[in-house]
Every structure is written in C-alpha cells, then in structure tokens.
Amino acid sequence: MRMMIGFIIAFLVSWALGKVLIPWLVALKAGQTIKEIGPKWHMSKQGTPTMGGLMFIAGILLAVLTAGLPDLRAGRLGALFVCLFALVFGAIGFFDDYMKVRHHKNEGLTAAQKFLLQLAAAIAFTVLLRSWGYLSADLYLPFFNLTFQIPWPVYMIFAAFVIVGTVNSVNLTDGVDGLATGVTMPVALFFLAVAAYWGHGELGVFSAALFGGLCAFLIYNFHPAKVFMGDTGSLFLGGAVCGLAFGLDIPLALIPVGIIYIAEALSDIIQVAYFKATHGKRIFRMAPLHHHFEMGGWSEEKLFLVFTGITVFTCILAFWGVMDRFPTL
C-alpha cells in the first residue's frame, strides 16, 4: 500500500508542478542550447525549456518523506540515503544546467569538475551504505547465484567506477524526446519488483515514486517535448538507478537492466577512439547510438518504443537472474 501511495504522490505532484514549472522556465528563458554538431533537425528544439527534471525530483522527494515516513520513523533509512544520493547528482546537474542557461552555451561544468564531484559522491555513498548494513563486500553474480568476497578498498574502486560510468551513461541517453524517461521507467519497475519480493519496503517506496514521477514527466517530455529534463534530471536518474542497485546489493544487475545506457556510452567511446585511430573515419553515422539510428531514418517515437521495449525485456530477464539473491520474506 505504501508503494502505491508513493507512486500516486510522486505522479500527482510531478504532473501538477509541470503545469507551473514549464511556463516559469519559459518566462526565465531557460531554454536548451542545441549543439551545432548534432543532427540538423534538432535545431528546431532550440529554446525548449530545460531543467524540467525538477518536477519529478520534487515529486519523488515528497513521496519518500510522506509515504516512506513509517520507515523513516522505524530507522529504515535506505530510501532516504538513495534519495539524498540522487539529489547530490541532481544538484551537480542543476549547476551545470544553470551555467549553460546563463551563458547561452551548451557548456557548463568541465568534465574534470563533474568527474571529481561525482567520484566524491560515489565514495561517500558506498561508505554510508556499508556502515548502515545495506551493502556488503560480496559481489553478487546474477543468473549464477554466486557471490565473490573482495577486499573493501577494491569494492569501493569498483563501485565508484560503476556509479560514475552509469550516471554519465544515463546522461548520454537523454538525447531524444522521452528516451531517458522511457528507458528508466522499466528500470524503476524492476527495482520495485525486487524490493517488494525481498521485503525491502523502504526502497520499494522510492522505486514506486521514481516510476510515478517519470510517468508524469513523460506527459510533458514525449515527442514533441514541451520540456527537457536537463542534466538536473538525467544525473538525478543516474544517481537513483545506481543508488537502488547498490542499496539492494545487486550492482551487477545494472548490466542487463541498463543495457541501453551501456550501448549509448560504448557507442560514444568506440566512435571517438576509432575516429582518432583512423584520423577521421567513423563506425557510426553519429554517436551516441540514438543519433546513429536517427541518421538512418528512425523517428524519435520509434527510438522511444524500441529502446524502451528492449529495456522491458532485459528487466524481466534480470529479475529472473537475481530473484534468488536473498530469501523472500
């Protein structure tokens, strides 16, 4: 019941806030600056308000503090930790968006600045989860139901690499109307199912709120988008996804559930490396991956449906792969 309440609160708050936030962002001229090196038809999106992620961030936070209040009072703070972790990444994204809007350029924080801030947040979060008993140094291998105990310092390095990589992969996925929103919705449902199956009600509330907030945001973000989530939203989503994976102690589940995030990031890495190695040749028409398919004639609606559909399938597969991690309650 608390999970359903969390979903409803996050949905209604995010939806209602969108009615106010979008006109306010338009009035502030907080429009997205489109990169000139991107697809030419994306230039029509120039000026679409950004930082719309604020609406689902507010809805999720309110849902966790209300529907999750019994857990907080009982000392079950997992949802609060994950929410705060995601908020830190959202704050990094907000500052990045603010600098872009202020200077009217698609350049905010430097890559080094974002990396150091994200790395510090990742390390602090893993230490916090370990100290509260949510996270072990046993690395669980989905589908094989095996665990490998590794030294804690090594685990922290692994966790920092996974978190920073995943967060930025989610950010890369946010390049087509509704894409990062649609892909993350089944991921939220996956964590909701896992949390409910294992009796982690507090993390279930956060997962339900994440799904509810994204459902509401999609009303405004589906093509043609009335608002973009910006780095504010995409970095928050990356933090939320990673927070849930580590909070439930199944970080390697990010491989199947985040297969689209990984594909987007790898396409970008491969493109840049191949371009430099061959002095100008390309493997993809354009990177990241969604632009490759756009250049091949795919519409934004088709990208949304195909990439989201793939994620639904991999999330179902992932649930089967992790369902024996812990005894059910």
Side-chain angles (χ1 to χ4, degrees):
M1 179 60 72
R2 287 181 293 119
M3 298 178 195
M4 179 60 71
I5 294 173
F7 166 82
I8 294 171
I9 292 173
F11 178 87
L12 291 178
V13 171
S14 302
W15 173 77
L17 190 57
K19 296 288 187 181
V20 178
L21 181 64
I22 294 174
W24 183 65
L25 290 172
V26 171
L28 288 178
K29 298 182 179 180
Q32 178 73 41
T33 301
I34 305 299
K35 290 183 178 180
E36 294 183 2
I37 60 173
K40 298 303 181 184
W41 54 89
H42 278 210
M43 295 306 295
S44 63
K45 302 174 186 287
Q46 185 89 7
T48 301
T50 188
M51 294 189 284
L54 289 170
M55 67 178 73
F56 61 75
I57 291 173
I60 292 167
L61 179 59
L62 186 60
V64 169
L65 294 177
T66 52
L69 188 59
D71 293 308
L72 298 177
R73 287 175 173 171
R76 296 185 291 270
L77 304 179
L80 182 62
F81 292 159
V82 172
C83 193
L84 290 175
F85 177 63
L87 282 171
V88 169
F89 279 94
I92 296 171
F94 177 81
F95 189 69
D96 194 42
D97 283 335
Y98 174 77
M99 293 192 57
K100 292 175 184 176
V101 169
R102 182 179 180 182
H103 299 293
H104 301 287
K105 293 181 180 179
N106 204 349
E107 297 175 359
L109 295 171
T110 66
Q113 288 171 332
K114 284 191 280 191
F115 174 77
L116 290 175
L117 288 170
Q118 292 171 4
L119 183 63
I123 293 172
F125 178 65
T126 52
V127 170
L128 182 64
L129 286 184
R130 180 70 186 274
S131 64
W132 280 78
Y134 283 94
L135 188 62
S136 68
D138 295 334
L139 188 60
Y140 177 72
L141 188 62
F143 302 103
F144 297 95
N145 201 31
L146 298 173
T147 56
F148 299 92
Q149 189 169 20
I150 57 179
W152 178 241
V154 176
Y155 190 96
M156 286 184 64
I157 295 171
F158 158 78
F161 172 79
V162 170
I163 290 171
V164 173
T166 302
V167 168
N168 286 287
S169 297
V170 176
N171 181 246
L172 279 174
T173 306
D174 183 36
V176 171
D177 292 358
L179 189 60
T181 309
V183 168
T184 307
M185 286 168 64
V187 177
L189 284 179
F190 163 79
F191 287 118
L192 173 58
V194 170
Y197 189 69
W198 289 342
H200 291 287
E202 73 278 19
L203 293 175
V205 169
F206 181 86
S207 302
L210 177 61
F211 181 67
L214 290 177
C215 285
F217 184 69
L218 188 61
I219 296 172
Y220 305 107
N221 189 229
F222 191 72
H223 184 74
K226 299 179 180 67
V227 68
F228 298 141
M229 67 174 68
D231 285 358
T232 304
S234 62
L235 294 188
F236 176 90
L237 291 185
V241 168
C242 289
L244 286 166
F246 281 92
L248 290 165
D249 207 8
I250 49 171
L252 290 181
L254 286 170
I255 296 174
V257 304
I259 192 66
I260 294 298
Y261 306 145
I262 295 170
E264 294 275 23
L266 283 178
S267 67
D268 210 40
I269 294 169
I270 292 170
Q271 183 86 324
V272 171
Y274 189 76
F275 185 86
K276 291 181 178 179
T278 59
H279 304 289
K281 293 183 179 179
R282 294 175 171 85
I283 291 180
F284 302 99
R285 300 183 187 96
M286 184 178 289
L289 190 60
H290 55 263
H291 288 328
H292 170 78
F293 287 109
E294 274 193 290
M295 297 290 283
W298 284 30
S299 67
E300 296 191 46
E301 295 92 335
K302 183 176 180 179
L303 276 166
F304 172 88
L305 292 173
V306 172
F307 281 28
T308 301
I310 290 171
T311 306
V312 169
F313 173 77
T314 57
C315 284
I316 293 171
L317 191 65
F319 182 78
W320 174 72
V322 304
M323 61 188 300
D324 295 327
R325 172 71 168 107
F326 296 114
T328 57
L329 298 180

